[in-house]
Amino acid sequence: MVSRVHDTQATLDNAHEFLKRNPDIEVFELLIPDTNGIVRGKWVPRNAVDKALSNGIRLPSSMFALDVWGNDVLESGLVFETGDRDALCLPVDGALKEVPWLKRRTAQLIMTMIEPDGTPFFGDPRSVLQKIVDKFSEIGLTPVTATELEFYLLDRDPGQDGRPQPPLSPTTGRRQFTNQVYGIEELHEFEDFFDSLSRAATLQDLPVDTTVAEQAPNQYEINLIHVPDAVKAAEHAILLKRAIKGVAQAHEMNATFMAKPYGDLAGNGMHIHFSLVDKDGKNVFDDGSLHGSDILRHAVAGMSASMADCMALFAPNINSYRRFQSGSHAPTTPSWGYDNRSVALRIPSGERQAMRIEHRVGGADSNPFLAMAAMLAGAYYGIVNKLEPQPPTVGNAYTQHEASLPDNLADALIAFENSDFIREQFGENYQKLYAAVKWQELATFDGQVTPLEYDSFLRTV
């Protein structure tokens, strides 16, 4: 596996230059996304940042065996079996970035965990994705990827019914209860928030592209520009989510990437756009035709064949499966087609040299490193085995194909655990680790009696 850890001297040179430009920064956040994509890490004071960047920091390797509430997952094999040992975390690229939404002047740096012998730690989602990217390198290809992230802005306080509610518009003083997809006025009402977010993205070198109002009140989508580095693209998505949440807090709102915060409104997806270039920079999905190359079809076939096995990565939470409803723009079958938003794998229209696949399955609640790894692993599998897809779907995929993807987390985890594809592409150790984390979360939910159950049955049956 190609090492992605830092050049120590370059890291220090960059840090010293950053410190000169920013003499008033007091604290440095050393960050590492866990299995759920939750950013964890340590604060380091200014006088200790040189040591941390030179020598790294130590965190328990079991931080990748935490459930979504931060509890140890004992079945993972990373807690007591290892003595809950520490592991070394090193900077990824040495680039310190400002965190402009916090009151105290702060900078951040992304880290990655390594094994005692210096190789990437198998449980770090960044390393999981890098392992898949390296497979493409071995066959002379480079994935070019970008994400589209949907989210809701919310009031800090719930409504009278206990549900989250839209925030008060700074412009009108009212809440939005109707949706105007692609509406410009909906963006104007929260102009200060989006302006602050744009400034934060610029400071953090996040390649933000377009912003649109989506299909529900106070739901928005922000697109990132594609880059020829899938690991960096996933990092962009992680950091953009963090920035959106942070800037929303600074504007006295909340932002959520929960897959389905409202049962009767649109869910939050994370679509991934994907093309492949060869050593000369040529897009190998483009063969000059309207329909794309054999490699494109092989990639589609591999992603389709592996989609059910990967659903636990694309839809990692019990709430994730509420997105997948007929007519919801969230796919229920591994279909594909040209410029068709009812399928799982869409080939957008446009310039042929920009021919790409839009993977429309993942939720905004998924870990971008793992969702991208699952997508690329499927494409790689299809390409090296020269798989052929089913015919492309024309028209409404919901009426032409019976729903076949797992529609709940338990079924998705069973498919994941029993999958030879997952074992081959991700490794048996990671298969065990991820499944253990998710089974523990599911068991916790299964042990809860909901308010609706009390309202329905406590006094009536």
Side-chain angles (χ1 to χ4, degrees), residues 5-15 50 53-56 90-91 94:
V5 296
H6 73 322
D7 177 313
T8 302
Q9 191 56 52
T11 295
L12 289 174
D13 290 345
N14 289 336
D50 261 20
L53 298 185
S54 299
N55 303 327
L90 295 175

Side-chain angles (χ1 to χ4, degrees), residues 156-172:
R156 284 185 171 179
D157 297 319
Q160 292 183 350
D161 59 359
R163 296 201 323 165
Q165 65 177 338
L168 291 171
S169 165
T171 303
T172 67

Side-chain angles (χ1 to χ4, degrees), residues 43-89:
W43 279 359
V44 175
R46 188 182 182 94
N47 61 9
V49 71
D50 261 20
K51 180 180 178 182
L53 298 185
S54 299
N55 303 327
I57 61 171
R58 292 195 170 272
L59 289 168
S61 60
S62 61
M63 69 165 287
F64 296 111
L66 298 175
D67 64 22
V68 72
W69 304 283
N71 301 312
D72 284 333
V73 178
L74 300 183
E75 296 298 319
S76 67
L78 287 183
V79 187
F80 296 126
E81 291 87 344
T82 67
D84 204 9
R85 67 177 177 89
D86 279 346
L88 186 62
C89 299

Side-chain angles (χ1 to χ4, degrees), residues 312 408-418 434-435 438-439 442:
N408 62 83
L409 184 56
D411 286 349
L413 286 174
I414 291 169
F416 180 89
E417 278 191 308
N418 293 330
Y434 187 82
K438 290 298 160 182
W439 278 121
L442 186 57

